[in-house]
Amino acid sequence: MNAPAASGHTENNDILYVADRHLNVVLVNDHWHAFAENNDGRAAFTPGARTNLLDSFSGSERSRWQAIYKSLIEGQMPFYEADFLCPSPHEWRVFKLRIERHHDDSAGLLLVHRIIRQPQDNRQDTKPAQARGRLSVDLGLHAAGFTIASSLEPLLETSGDLIWCRGYKHGQADFVIADAAGHGAAASQLALRVGAILDQVARASHSVSANVTELNAQLCAQMAATRGAEVTRVDFATGLYVRIDRQARTTTICSFGHPGAIFAKTGYVQPAPGLPVGIRTEGGWIEQPYSFEQYGAQLLMFTDGITEQFNPTGRMLGHAQLAQFYVEHAHLHPPQRLEKIQNAVAVFRGDALVKDDQALLLVDTLSVV
């Protein structure tokens, strides 16, 4: 792999930017700035305006990318690839970002970020929102004291989003909403794998963070056994693990690289960030309790396909707008509330493209003691 000298600018159109082992940007591509400007991407990462790769990220996203770069620097991966969609709400273009290790005699280890343009002639069937079917999920926990409404809207034929639950005795239940990296069949297979592992390891006798830790350990072990020596990408999943305890009157949330949840009483909350599962064998996930008295006993979980939906003018929906949709209809029964939220998101989207799987999970806790 040929990389340019680690200084100044480059006109090599497949190279976006180059960073050193400290993640400081040492070279940029002026064409990348022009592309971002021309595609509603001023808020996207433009290395020329910052000095460090992590400066563009915060919270769980920062933790995730920090783990990826650490794995690259330490040689645990020869390179890393991820798919990105053009930020324009009207254009469907997929770009593959490839980060490669390169050794420069004068600068030492470099991380070269290249772009690989993907062919677009096979995407036509997935573009209109009307072509995407809604799949409602009946989680069957009403008898245990919970009323639930949920939906999965796949971008392609299958979804990389996951909704999982398990009820226990004494008014406890665990809920997981997760988003596997990528789209289509590969992401769907990863989501199914996460669900299968949860079926095996989730226990009421374990803490929420312990269940996430075991999920990560099993997922990493399975991936290591199947991917072989040549690692072409890191398959990971972000998500929320939520335990609702009717007797203790608490909702405990543990994030593994995912946005927070929305409570009907207080709005959006962001728990302590944690790494996505599947990246590294160690993680250190933190669980946080939220009392019914302060936050209420109703909450909404979602994947970022909802909150990162653009409208025709290029504005993103965001957490605050989704929270407003939810709180406005908090008095309705969950199925009707879910429909109202979906309709509000559709009105916001208008004729802009849908670019990701979308999942929603509403949980109402009934007759708390």
Side-chain angles (χ1 to χ4, degrees):
M1 185 271 294
N2 295 321
S7 63
H9 297 254
T10 179
E11 294 187 358
N12 187 333
N13 286 337
D14 70 329
I15 293 179
L16 298 179
Y17 41 93
V18 179
D20 62 20
R21 67 177 301 109
H22 304 293
L23 305 184
N24 293 319
V25 176
V26 296
L27 182 142
V28 297
N29 184 346
D30 290 336
H31 294 286
W32 172 240
H33 294 277
F35 168 80
E37 288 286 326
N38 293 333
N39 289 278
D40 299 326
R42 290 184 180 89
F45 177 63
T46 52
R50 299 174 175 88
T51 59
N52 191 277
L53 294 175
L54 296 179
D55 287 348
S56 298
F57 305 112
S58 62
S60 58
E61 273 294 285
R62 182 183 178 91
S63 299
R64 179 169 74 86
W65 278 101
Q66 196 167 23
I68 291 170
Y69 283 126
K70 182 177 180 181
S71 297
L72 281 165
I73 291 169
E74 293 177 352
Q76 298 181 27
M77 298 184 294
F79 58 88
Y80 172 76
E81 289 184 353
D83 290 335
F84 289 91
L85 292 164
C86 171
S88 168
H90 295 287
E91 296 189 49
W92 185 283
R93 285 184 283 176
V94 179
F95 297 88
K96 185 179 292 294
L97 175 69
R98 181 181 173 109
I99 308 172
E100 301 170 326
R101 290 164 49 89
H102 175 78
H103 184 79
D104 182 86
D105 290 339
S106 59
L109 177 67
L110 298 175
L111 298 176
V112 180
H113 297 64
R114 295 180 179 273
I115 195 168
I116 303 173
R117 292 167 175 81
Q118 302 288 82
Q120 302 305 309
D121 56 359
N122 63 340
R123 311 294 293 194
Q124 199 65 31
D125 290 342
T126 68
K127 290 171 66 175
Q130 292 80 0
R132 299 157 56 252
R134 289 178 178 174
L135 172 63
S136 295
V137 180
D138 180 8
L139 299 177
L141 284 178
H142 183 82
F146 303 93
T147 299
I148 300 153
S150 60
S151 68
L152 291 171
E153 297 188 57
L155 176 67
L156 305 176
E157 292 183 0
T158 56
S159 176
D161 286 353
L162 167 74
I163 294 174
W164 177 94
C165 78
R166 171 168 288 170
Y168 304 109
K169 296 179 180 178
H170 311 300
Q172 279 189 342
D174 286 355
F175 302 89
V176 173
I177 189 164
D179 182 359
H183 305 96
S188 177
Q189 291 171 6
L190 179 57
L192 291 173
R193 179 178 291 189
V194 170
I197 294 174
L198 286 168
D199 287 339
Q200 296 173 2
V201 306
R203 298 287 186 273
S205 57
H206 297 168
S207 68
V208 171
S209 58
N211 281 336
V212 174
T213 299
E214 186 61 24
L215 166 64
N216 179 71
Q218 294 293 329
L219 186 60
C220 287
Q222 289 186 16
M223 290 180 177
T226 58
R227 68 163 61 109
E230 181 66 12
V231 181
T232 60
R233 60 178 295 147
V234 175
D235 290 320
F236 58 86
T238 64
L240 284 184
Y241 196 119
V242 176
R243 173 169 294 168
I244 301 179
D245 189 326
R246 296 173 62 236
Q247 289 191 352
R249 300 175 63 85
T250 58
T251 299
T252 302
I253 302 179
C254 182
S255 171
F256 48 100
H258 201 72
I262 297 171
F263 285 89
K265 190 172 180 180
T266 59
Y268 178 73
V269 300
Q270 175 62 63
L275 290 180
V277 292
I279 292 182
R280 299 179 66 87
T281 54
E282 70 276 6
W285 292 273
I286 300 173
E287 61 183 68
Q288 293 177 266
Y290 299 88
S291 68
F292 288 177
E293 285 72 20
Q294 182 175 355
Y295 293 90
Q298 303 172 329
L299 78 158
L300 169 68
M301 290 164 269
F302 54 90
T303 55
D304 59 12
I306 296 286
T307 51
E308 295 181 3
Q309 174 64 55
F310 288 98
N311 71 2
T313 66
R315 185 167 67 89
M316 196 169 67
L317 180 68
H319 302 145
Q321 184 68 72
L322 180 62
Q324 181 179 333
F325 293 158
Y326 178 61
V327 173
E328 281 177 355
H329 304 293
H331 62 286
L332 297 175
H333 194 58
Q336 288 74 42
R337 194 185 320 151
L338 179 66
E339 184 176 4
K340 290 286 188 181
I341 294 171
Q342 289 174 317
N343 290 341
V345 172
V347 169
F348 173 87
R349 179 179 67 235
D351 62 358
L353 294 175
V354 177
K355 298 184 177 183
D356 200 359
D357 302 317
Q358 298 185 349
L360 289 167
L361 171 60
L362 288 79
V363 182
D364 279 12
T365 306
L366 307 176
S367 60
V368 295
V369 296

